[in-house]
Amino acid sequence: MPLKKAGAWIRANSSHLAILVITLAAIALAAWLADQAFEKRFRQNLDHTLNAMLDINHTAIDLWVKEHERRAKLAADSPEILAITKNLLALPRTREALLAAQSEPRSVALGWIYKMGGYIGHFIIAPDDINLSSARDANIGVVNLLRADQPKMMERLWAGEVVMTHPLISDVPLMNESGEPEEGRPTMFVGAPIRDESGKVIALFTLRIDPVKEFFPLLQAARISNSGESYLFDRKGRMLSESRFTGQLNRIGLLNPGESAVDRVQIRDPGVDLTQHNNAAKPLSERPLTHMAAAAITGERGVDLDGYRDYRGVLVIGAWLWDDKMNFGMTVEQDVDEAYQPLNLFHSLLYSVSFISAALLTVMMAANIKGRTTLQRSQALLQGLVDTLVDGVVVIDEQGIIESVNPAIEAQFGYRAEALVGHNITQLLPGKDQQQQENHLKSLIRAGRSKAFDIGREVAARRKDGSSFPAEIAIGEMRLGDRRYYTSIIRDITQYKQTETLLNVLNDELQMLAMVAQETDNAVIVTDREGFILWVNRGFVTTSEYSLEEV
């Protein structure tokens, strides 16, 4: 069209074009605002879920540690342990002399202590850090391993504290799940001072715990969906618990088959996703701590919803904290792709509806301006656009009769377009949903809404072969002349429903953990970030003698 004619055409239709531009801008703005509002709420929910899981993990571990510390103190304060210790302290620090003095089998003398907590070993340690008694003869008469591995723990024990170590690699073979001794298994110790009648610390008593049976399951119970992971680490960035991704770590060379991740996997950023590009990773010595670990070791509690690389190089979101008493960091993480999958589904649906609405509006405005010929060309263009959408699009009349479908519908349901056109849309629904859909369409028609929108209604869809799948259907009204048509956008939400089911399972696990906290005799308090009390258990009421209303 010559420039002069084009200018004349624009001037002649300026009012229509202005309305079109303003309306399209309004649709775009409305879609953007809705998207921003939903994303903000979605991120708030992610923040809440991560921090709730972190707090539940931390509380469960804290209760578990306190219970074992109570048992260790009970044993160390017992008359039996004091009598055995005094007898051993009077002997020369030689294995022969110490073994000879322990005529009664240690399993009998200390059997009640072992049964109390399922312990797998013990030490009675003299002031010079020599083992006076142990479950293994080879350990008697030598310097205790904790002097080298856990010097701060030993200092705190001699200062009179009751202390729990974090997981470390055992110095001796321990029984595995098959009942066979295995080198390199993780272990933990809880210890308490042994005092004489005057209250003076004369020795130390420690008990060995198998964290694989008791400690690690506490972290595994609070994993989020398929990629969620909870784990512990020390100030050097060494993992102190098992990894959920042992198979991946074996494949990418961060862990040898059969090894525990404890003290072997380092929480460092390789710079690339090792599960995809292992050869491009930085050498381990050049890798910095992950964003999460670097923040946690400073004592900062935090959350990152934008994404950072974990020790595999995979982008994750996470929440973390540092426990000064136990001297370890704790985190809850989930892969970004999985965490944001529901949000991405919403983005696609919202912008698909907005795009189609804008396209339909453009077509209708063009019809008013250019007449039926132009309308036909625009409809062809629109059909081409609709045909490229990954979501199914069905255009029906006021009786629910299908006028047209796009190729995505053919792929979703297994019908050819010719087999659907002229039939009622209820052909795509199971028998139990057909009447509901007919009634719903009739209610839209009776309402007489010129902007009828029904976005995000869940239905069961039926394929040609009779199988069904969950779907979301969004219905929008359009007018061509004096007739009303309805555009239905159908999205397969099978993957979304699977994610929803996993979240429900997680919620059930959270409720179970809450029930455990309610039933414990220990006091449990939940506060918000400002320190205001949100909830206490019965153990707190019993211990503090405050009523629920008072706190």
Side-chain angles (χ1 to χ4, degrees):
M1 180 185 297
L3 291 178
K4 187 176 294 186
K5 289 185 178 181
W9 183 88
I10 292 174
R11 287 192 297 272
N13 298 285
S14 58
S15 59
H16 293 84
L17 293 175
I19 294 173
L20 177 62
V21 170
I22 292 172
T23 305
L24 291 177
I27 291 174
L29 178 61
W32 182 82
L33 291 175
D35 183 58
Q36 293 298 304
F38 184 86
E39 181 170 342
K40 179 179 179 181
R41 181 64 180 272
F42 185 84
R43 288 171 66 90
Q44 288 173 344
N45 288 338
L46 280 181
D47 186 301
H48 174 77
T49 299
L50 290 171
N51 278 292
M53 296 300 299
L54 185 65
D55 288 335
I56 288 172
N57 271 349
H58 193 219
T59 299
I61 288 175
D62 185 59
L63 292 173
W64 182 84
V65 168
K66 287 179 179 177
E67 178 60 22
H68 280 284
E69 288 178 344
R70 182 189 69 80
R71 295 172 183 174
K73 187 176 187 306
L74 180 66
D77 291 344
S78 67
E80 297 95 324
I81 293 297
L82 179 59
I84 293 172
T85 301
K86 284 185 174 181
N87 180 46
L88 296 174
L89 284 171
L91 298 174
R93 301 289 199 268
T94 65
R95 179 177 299 157
E96 294 75 15
L98 293 170
L99 282 173
Q102 302 180 59
S103 57
E104 182 180 16
R106 279 148 280 169
S107 60
V108 176
L110 303 178
W112 67 276
I113 297 175
Y114 277 60
K115 293 178 181 178
M116 180 171 57
Y119 300 109
I120 58 175
H122 78 279
F123 288 113
I124 296 177
I125 308 169
D128 54 4
D129 295 329
I130 297 295
N131 295 324
L132 303 178
S133 178
S134 170
R136 294 174 176 79
D137 292 350
N139 290 333
I140 295 177
V142 299
V143 175
N144 188 270
L145 68 101
L146 295 177
R147 168 49 62 191
D149 290 346
Q150 300 286 322
K152 290 186 178 180
M153 176 190 180
M154 297 292 282
E155 292 174 6
R156 292 174 62 189
L157 285 170
W158 285 115
E161 296 184 50
V162 181
V163 184
M164 171 80 76
T165 70
H166 51 60
L168 62 150
I169 297 301
S170 174
D171 60 319
V172 296
L174 297 177
M175 294 298 177
N176 59 22
E177 290 75 10
S178 302
E180 299 178 353
E182 180 180 314
E183 295 278 358
R185 282 180 66 83
T187 189
M188 295 176 73
F189 291 92
V190 60
I194 302 172
R195 302 176 185 270
D196 62 14
E197 292 80 358
S198 67
K200 179 182 177 182
V201 177
I202 61 172
L204 305 178
F205 183 70
T206 64
L207 290 164
R208 186 189 290 267
I209 301 170
D210 184 355
V212 175
K213 294 181 179 178
E214 293 191 43
F215 187 64
F216 296 158
L218 295 175
L219 296 168
Q220 295 166 0
R223 290 172 172 172
I224 304 174
S225 195
N226 293 325
S227 65
E229 181 180 30
S230 302
Y231 59 89
L232 309 177
F233 53 94
D234 65 13
R235 290 192 180 277
K236 294 182 179 180
R238 295 175 300 192
M239 186 172 283
L240 300 179
S241 57
E242 294 295 358
S243 170
R244 179 174 191 167
F245 307 106
T246 301
Q248 288 186 7
L249 299 182
N250 293 157
R251 288 193 297 273
I252 62 182
L254 288 183
L255 193 64
N256 294 323
E259 286 185 340
S260 167
V262 174
D263 207 32
R264 294 187 176 96
V265 174
Q266 298 191 37
I267 316 303
R268 297 185 175 276
D269 181 359
V272 296
D273 184 346
L274 296 180
T275 65
Q276 304 294 329
H277 310 286
N278 193 16
N279 294 332
K282 299 177 182 176
L284 186 60
S285 60
E286 298 178 11
R287 299 177 191 176
L289 293 175
T290 66
H291 167 68
M292 175 280 300
I297 64 174
T298 66
E300 170 193 334
R301 173 171 180 148
V303 62
D304 189 319
L305 302 180
D306 295 323
Y308 57 90
R309 293 192 185 279
D310 69 358
Y311 54 93
R312 301 168 296 149
V314 176
L315 285 176
V316 297
I317 60 173
W320 59 84
L321 59 78
W322 185 264
D323 188 315
D324 286 322
K325 178 185 175 183
M326 290 295 293
N327 197 33
F328 61 53
M330 177 186 297
T331 185
V332 174
E333 295 177 333
Q334 184 182 15
D335 288 4
V336 165
D337 288 345
E338 183 181 43
Y340 282 97
Q341 186 180 65
L343 180 61
N344 293 333
L345 288 174
F346 175 81
H347 285 329
S348 298
L349 181 61
L350 175 65
Y351 286 114
S352 292
V353 171
S354 300
F355 171 78
I356 292 176
S357 299
L360 290 174
L361 178 64
T362 302
V363 169
M364 290 185 289
M365 185 64 72
N368 291 329
I369 296 174
K370 301 181 68 174
R372 185 173 299 276
T373 302
T374 303
L375 175 60
Q376 291 175 345
R377 288 202 302 267
S378 298
Q379 286 176 328
L381 173 61
L382 176 61
Q383 187 64 48
L385 294 173
V386 170
D387 287 349
T388 64
L389 292 177
V390 295
D391 293 324
V393 179
V394 182
V395 177
I396 59 176
D397 65 14
E398 293 175 290
Q399 282 72 46
I401 302 302
I402 297 175
E403 296 283 337
S404 66
V405 299
N406 72 337
I409 287 291
E410 296 177 307
Q412 285 178 343
F413 291 90
Y415 288 100
R416 297 295 299 272
E418 308 89 80
L420 292 174
V421 174
H423 294 273
N424 198 284
I425 191 174
T426 56
Q427 181 175 333
L428 302 179
L429 303 174
K432 63 179 182 180
D433 287 337
Q434 289 181 357
Q435 189 60 46
Q436 293 181 9
Q437 183 63 19
E438 283 189 32
N439 294 338
H440 185 67
L441 182 59
K442 289 176 181 178
S443 68
L444 287 177
I445 295 171
R446 285 196 302 269
R449 293 182 293 174
S450 61
K451 295 182 180 180
F453 260 125
D454 182 33
I455 186 168
R457 200 166 73 92
E458 291 188 14
V459 298
R462 182 179 62 187
R463 301 184 181 92
K464 182 180 180 180
D465 62 8
S467 63
S468 62
F469 63 94
E472 274 189 351
I473 182 169
I475 301 177
E477 179 189 327
M478 66 177 179
R479 288 182 179 272
L480 292 178
D482 58 352
R483 295 192 61 186
R484 284 195 292 178
Y485 294 88
Y486 296 87
T487 303
S488 300
I489 302 173
I490 300 175
R491 172 183 293 272
D492 186 342
I493 59 169
T494 301
Q495 191 172 20
Y496 178 83
K497 299 300 289 184
Q498 291 173 348
T499 301
E500 185 180 62
T501 299
L502 291 173
L503 290 175
N504 289 334
V505 171
L506 174 60
N507 186 55
D508 291 340
E509 292 177 355
L510 290 177
Q511 292 180 5
M512 181 63 70
L513 289 174
M515 290 173 62
V516 171
Q518 180 66 274
E519 295 301 322
T520 182
D521 292 333
N522 295 292
V524 179
I525 306 172
V526 178
T527 68
D528 61 18
R529 294 186 179 180
E530 285 71 39
F532 288 97
I533 296 175
L534 301 177
W535 179 85
V536 298
N537 71 338
R538 285 192 289 270
F540 175 86
V541 175
T542 301
T543 304
S544 68
E545 298 184 354
Y546 282 103
S547 67
L548 292 175
E549 292 76 17
E550 289 176 318
V551 299

